């Protein structure tokens, strides 16, 4: 062991030696990297191949619930990389999940031969990602459903100011389940902050395969929360929102240090591949750092992404108990990604990248600026020491901290998740998820905490409004290859109310 | 309760209404604020007053161990502020701790009348801050101490490459104790990284009041750790240290948003007072934020500072058991503060402030650039939401995060503590302490973990070198006045090895 390792003791580093990862060096070739996400042309090809294959089986109700790259398996990819790309790359394939005649198909398509390799019907529990289109259609059904119109009238609301939204229903061990969504509605009269004015007490259930309302319940009414004071747009605030700040701009006289070739990214001593998936959002692959002493790349992580986000609410009543969202597996972090706003979601010197997914009809849909990639100069210090202990000598060594951030924002209804992958020159990777947006609230009759005599399952945050207890459990898929081929790890992070509380409520709800 | 509070739900805010704190608005008056630290002229005045008072009592061995502002008490200051400074300010006083004839004096000096208000001898446990001068003198004593010269010779070391450093001794309930320091020495041959080459096995004890070595022990020798690979200066690295990064500069076309008048600081909606104390370092007082709706300042914190940093090492042997540093109370976070390096310790647009303390002779000593104050633009998002749920309308609201950071770095021997007070426009204050510098290590005979058959009380980090288990417990004095006069809280943060481990070792060591 070298004594030089001492100076790295404070820096948690993920370092690995792996000469083969030098294959991720910058290449301006327009050939695909085998891990590149499907291109618009490839989405179209997949759609054509699958639609044609159902030509004789009345594909009127064929929907594409998921289309993405079927990644080559790890040994195959590493083997190809070890030849420094001189051999034939692994075959390019797509993995597709469709619904057809109320059945879920899992299909693998070979793009080079334009053929279907496998197509089997999935018959286990659970259903594929919801499409945007079916959620939109389902959320409009109440507007022509007489019992709902009666409920709106009974509450004295204007139908034109009511909007509805879709909610997954959870699974509680039922042997048989249907592909259903619950529908909750909100009142936009006088506000764009719809989530704070729920039409509490009314729940609808829609069967997505029938696209029909199959259950309806209107159990109670509570006073509608006030619209006043719920405006969040800065331009509409009186007095103006927040203090006025003087402007700041960053200048890079030598240009950006970020090199992007297709989906392969180089920055400082890092090289990695950035993919986009409609389910997971960003997928980081083949992350490795260049070791100046060993003159080689050392692999750190084969692949990392957020595999799931579980958001259970701690409210056991009929209107709320089922709220146990899987924001990745049900709504799609990629599908819910929003276009990032330059200068605001990301700093001025950020570089942007677009993403594509397949719509319900299989055709490609573009999300502009789905990722931003930027150098982060927060003004912090990576490492420093001032030495005055040696007679006649003063040493002051300060290394400012600079890192590279890859960001995507996924807005799943009321919540905005800011997903950051941060690469540090020390060899460590920091993952962070910022939780912002708007609370999911419950309409109640209370206007003061003194009135609440039983467990409110949340906090009174405004008149007639309870912010319901809930958590966000993030699970990361982390296939770390630190100086060699490693083991897959998953790691769950939890945000929200304290753990003890979660567990006691979880026992209550999931008993 | 206003529904508008909803949009602040994710932001932990410390807000308080207090009209009197508007008195901290910018004033370019050169009059003192009652909380301003002592000026160089005031340090000189204090020194003169005290030296003169001992004129008839042979003050040859008078030393100033602490000189600082004797702050007006809180009701007095608040009362004065409530008159909008139209009344006479509280009397300006200094609090002084001296050693004279082996006794600790606690003295209060009134600066307006140039008189000593009180002077009493402290006879309880414990001793005042160590001065830089007495530590320097003590650490040079071994160089002429024959048993030590013999130990150096026995180890084959060159005396000219040996430097020694001072260590506090802890307190284990002894009824009587002396004002002593332990001395440990290091070998700088071939390296400036002295801490990694301890002369293990040799311990000296110095009585500071006698300034004599009173105990000496040379219990064992171990091979000296190698000098190779311990260089940490970037300019000396071959190959060059770390990846090359392209430059970046920040530009503020409308100038800085930070207004400083004396020690009163205004930025965005914040107003606060920043003092410097030789013991605590930065002291934040009267922090309040301007409420645009209420058109008034609301007080958040009356006073906040780091009151102590406890650093126990988990090594029970004779050479290590006593290492239970109080880095604030024994060595002084202010006294150990280093001049910050522009562009490296703080970003280009930072503003700097100097600090002063009294040397052992009572005369003022300046630390240039002891604080930096800067706007932090990390490229993060304060709050955002994209709304696509309202038919025919897309809303995208993004508020970038900008905050103000007050930074000081205290280097206590091998460790560098980066102390940040961060003020967010939301009304919250974030305190952070970055731990960097160089590990405190123990010399051992081991060169491989296989050789370690018993508890090594640390981790083998290099040949003959163990990084000893230890912790950093930071205690904050936080007098929060959120919308009124609050209660004092203290909060302890812990960095280091896991808590369970600490507790089991603490039981072992402090039994």
């Amino acid at each position: 062991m070298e004594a030089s390792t001492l100076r790295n003791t404070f820096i948690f580093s993920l370092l690995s030696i792996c000469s083969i990862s030098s294959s991720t060096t910058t290449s301006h070739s327009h050939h695909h990297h085998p891990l590149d996400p499907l291109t618009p042309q490839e989405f179209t090809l997949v759609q054509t191949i699958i639609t044609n294959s159902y030509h004789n089986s009345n594909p009127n109700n064929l929907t594409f619930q998921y289309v993405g790259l079927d990644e080559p398996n790890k040994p195959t990819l590493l083997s190809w990389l070890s030849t420094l790309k001189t051999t034939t790359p692994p075959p390019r394939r797509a993995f597709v999940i469709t619904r057809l005649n109320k059945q879920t198909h899992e299909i693998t398509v070979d793009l080079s031969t334009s053929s279907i390799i496998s197509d089997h019907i999935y018959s286990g529990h659970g259903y594929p990602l919801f499409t945007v289109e079916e959620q939109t259609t389902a959320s409009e059904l109440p507007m022509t459903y007489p019992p709902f119109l009666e409920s709106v009238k009974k509450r004295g609301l204007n139908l034109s100011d009511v909007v509805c939204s879709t909610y997954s229903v959870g699974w509680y061990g039922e042997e048989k389940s249907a592909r259903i969504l619950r529908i909750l509605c909100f009142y936009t009269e006088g506000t764009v902050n719809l989530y704070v004015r729920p039409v509490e007490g009314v729940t609808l259930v829609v069967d997505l395969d029938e696209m029909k309302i199959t259950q309806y319940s209107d159990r109670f009414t509570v006073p509608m929360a006030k619209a006043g004071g719920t405006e969040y747009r800065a331009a509409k605030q009186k007095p103006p929102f927040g203090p006025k700040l003087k402007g700041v701009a960053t200048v890079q006289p030598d240009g950006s240090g970020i090199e992007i070739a297709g989906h392969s990214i180089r920055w400082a001593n890092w090289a990695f591949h950035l993919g986009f998936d409609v389910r997971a959002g960003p997928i980081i692959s083949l992350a490795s750092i260049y070791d100046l002493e060993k003159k080689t790349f050392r692999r750190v992580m084969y692949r990392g992404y957020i595999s799931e986000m579980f958001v259970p609410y701690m409210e056991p009543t009929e209107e709320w108990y089922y709220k146990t969202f899987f924001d990745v597996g049900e709504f799609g972090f990629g599908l819910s990604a929003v276009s990032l706003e330059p200068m605001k979601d990301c700093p001025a010197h950020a570089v942007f990248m677009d993403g594509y997914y397949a719509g319900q009809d299989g055709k490609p849909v573009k999300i502009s600026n789905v990722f931003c990639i930027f150098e982060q100069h927060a003004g912090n210090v990576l490492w420093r020491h001032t030495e005055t202990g040696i007679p006649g000598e003063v040493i002051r060594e300060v290394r400012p901290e600079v890192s590279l951030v890859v960001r995507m924002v996924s807005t799943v209804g009321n919540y905005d998740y800011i997903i950051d992958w941060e690469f540090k020159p020390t060899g460590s990777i920091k993952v962070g998820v910022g939780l912002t947006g708007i609370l999911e609230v419950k309409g109640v009759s209370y206007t003061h905490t003194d009135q609440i005599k039983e467990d409110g399952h949340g906090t009174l945050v405004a008149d007639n409004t309870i912010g319901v207890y809930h958590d966000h459990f993030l699970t990361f898929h982390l296939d770390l290859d630190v100086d060699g081929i490693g083991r897959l790890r998953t790691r769950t992070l939890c945000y929200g109310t304290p753990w003890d509380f979660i567990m006691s409520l979880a026992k209550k709800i999931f008993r």
Side-chain angles (χ1 to χ4, degrees), chain A residues 199-439:
Chain A
V199 182
E200 200 69 41
V202 177
T203 315
L204 303 92
V205 175
V206 169
D207 184 304
L208 290 174
D209 290 324
E210 301 284 351
M211 200 47 85
K212 277 184 187 161
I213 294 169
T214 54
Q215 285 181 49
Y216 185 78
S217 131
D218 181 356
R219 297 208 312 148
F220 59 87
T221 63
V222 294
M224 178 59 69
K226 287 193 290 253
T230 65
E231 174 64 70
Y232 56 78
R233 287 170 295 186
K236 308 276 182 179
Q237 302 293 311
K238 286 172 195 171
F241 176 82
K244 207 178 163 188
L245 297 170
K246 291 196 177 173
V248 69
T250 45
V251 182
Q252 294 190 284
D254 305 320
S256 170
I258 307 167
E259 294 171 41
I260 301 180
H263 291 265
S264 295
I265 298 177
R266 288 288 305 270
W267 172 79
N269 48 354
W270 278 101
F272 62 91
H273 183 278
L274 171 62
F276 173 80
D277 178 72
V278 68
R279 185 184 195 280
I283 297 180
I284 307 293
S285 302
L286 295 170
S288 39
I289 60 159
Y290 190 76
D291 184 321
L292 276 166
E293 288 183 30
K294 297 187 190 296
K295 294 192 174 60
T296 182
F297 274 89
R298 300 171 69 179
R299 206 159 69 222
V300 177
M301 188 173 73
Y302 180 73
R303 187 164 52 172
Y305 59 88
I306 296 177
S307 49
E308 193 49 273
M309 159 83 96
F310 176 47
V311 191
Y313 281 74
M314 314 302 182
E315 222 292 8
T317 62
E318 182 62 24
E319 282 68 28
W320 277 79
Y321 81 94
Y322 58 87
K323 293 191 177 180
T324 54
F325 305 110
F326 287 104
D327 278 348
V328 173
E330 293 177 327
F331 298 96
F333 257 20
L335 187 63
S336 304
V338 297
S339 293
L340 298 170
E341 187 167 350
M343 313 293 286
K344 291 196 162 182
D345 275 315
C346 314
H349 53 283
V351 181
F352 293 84
M353 198 184 276
D354 301 332
Y356 294 89
Y357 67 93
Q360 182 174 291
D361 59 3
K363 290 179 185 164
V365 179
K366 178 179 176 177
I367 306 177
S368 301
N369 294 356
V370 75
F371 294 139
C372 72
I373 302 132
F374 61 91
E375 268 190 6
Q376 185 160 55
H377 297 263
N380 292 325
V381 172
L382 172 67
W383 180 85
R384 84 172 315 289
H385 182 58
T386 300
E387 185 55 66
T388 56
I390 303 171
E393 192 167 9
V394 174
I395 297 170
R396 188 171 54 180
E397 278 287 306
V398 189
R399 297 185 193 129
E401 183 168 72
V402 184
S403 57
L404 187 77
V405 176
V406 172
R407 177 170 294 168
M408 189 191 89
V409 173
S410 193
T411 300
V412 188
N414 55 311
Y415 255 108
D416 298 58
Y417 301 109
I418 302 169
I419 302 158
D420 281 356
W421 286 85
E422 185 183 339
F423 297 84
K424 295 176 186 279
T426 52
S428 71
I429 301 173
K430 180 179 167 189
V431 288
V433 180
L435 274 61
T436 180
I438 296 167
L439 263 190

